[in-house]
Amino acid sequence: MTCDSSSTEATDEPRLADSRAEAFQEVRSARRNELAEDYVELIAELIHEHGEARPVAIAARLGVRAPTVTKALDRLAREGLITRERYRSVFLTEKGRALAHECRRRHEIVLRFLIRLGLDAETAERDAEGIEHHVSERTLALFAGYADQA
């Protein structure tokens, strides 16, 4: 019995296209969530360090202007991640605190993994900031396992 490789390739193409489309969709979704994740993580840090998170401090840490922060905070408030009053501090809701905690967990795992690979701490910190948003839970578990090896 002979196998016609062209028919196998033809049946694989739709599956590969579907898989690729799904991967692109996941990346787009991660990019949409990245901003919210960065903001709630930073807000949690500021609250931990200073007891509050003011928009001016958020802007300074992110290197952006106040209107950019205002727009992002409006979105976070609509999504139920923060509460705030005009010209006052920003506070995380329970949902926001949970997201910040999850982001911190992911960041720490990626950071430990990169350092374990031999990357210097400064580069690892910078790279972890981007990777943490785009890595699957399955990959993250493997990163954690490798980072935790003696």
Side-chain angles (χ1 to χ4, degrees):
M1 179 177 229
T2 62
C3 179
D4 181 4
S5 65
S6 63
S7 68
T8 303
E9 288 175 12
T11 58
D12 286 345
E13 278 183 35
R15 279 185 274 165
L16 290 173
D18 288 347
S19 176
R20 193 165 200 198
E22 185 178 313
F24 283 133
Q25 197 163 15
E26 287 174 8
V27 169
R28 284 191 303 275
S29 176
R31 284 187 185 139
R32 274 192 307 275
N33 295 332
E34 191 170 347
L35 181 71
E37 291 173 359
D38 283 345
Y39 268 80
V40 297
E41 193 174 2
L42 176 57
I43 291 166
E45 274 180 38
L46 289 169
I47 291 170
H48 177 75
E49 293 170 7
H50 305 289
E52 66 179 1
R54 292 195 171 271
V56 68
I58 295 168
R61 285 273 186 103
L62 293 176
V64 298
R65 298 181 67 215
T68 303
V69 172
T70 299
K71 184 177 175 183
L73 293 178
D74 287 345
R75 176 183 162 205
L76 296 177
R78 282 191 309 273
E79 293 177 4
L81 297 169
I82 65 161
T83 59
R84 69 188 177 119
E85 292 180 26
R86 199 167 181 88
Y87 308 113
R88 305 293 267 202
S89 293
V90 177
F91 299 96
L92 295 171
T93 62
E94 190 164 325
K95 181 179 174 183
R97 283 190 298 276
L99 179 59
H101 178 75
E102 176 60 17
C103 292
R104 175 57 39 203
R105 180 188 75 83
R106 294 173 68 83
H107 182 89
E108 291 299 325
I109 290 170
V110 173
L111 181 63
R112 287 192 344 263
F113 172 74
L114 294 174
I115 289 172
R116 176 89 163 80
L117 286 177
L119 204 55
D120 64 279
E122 184 179 329
T123 304
E125 182 68 43
R126 196 171 39 251
D127 289 350
E129 191 56 49
I131 294 169
E132 72 186 61
H133 303 289
H134 299 275
V135 65
S136 70
E137 279 300 321
R138 185 174 174 198
T139 301
L140 199 62
L142 292 171
F143 281 10
Y146 181 78
D148 294 339
Q149 290 178 359

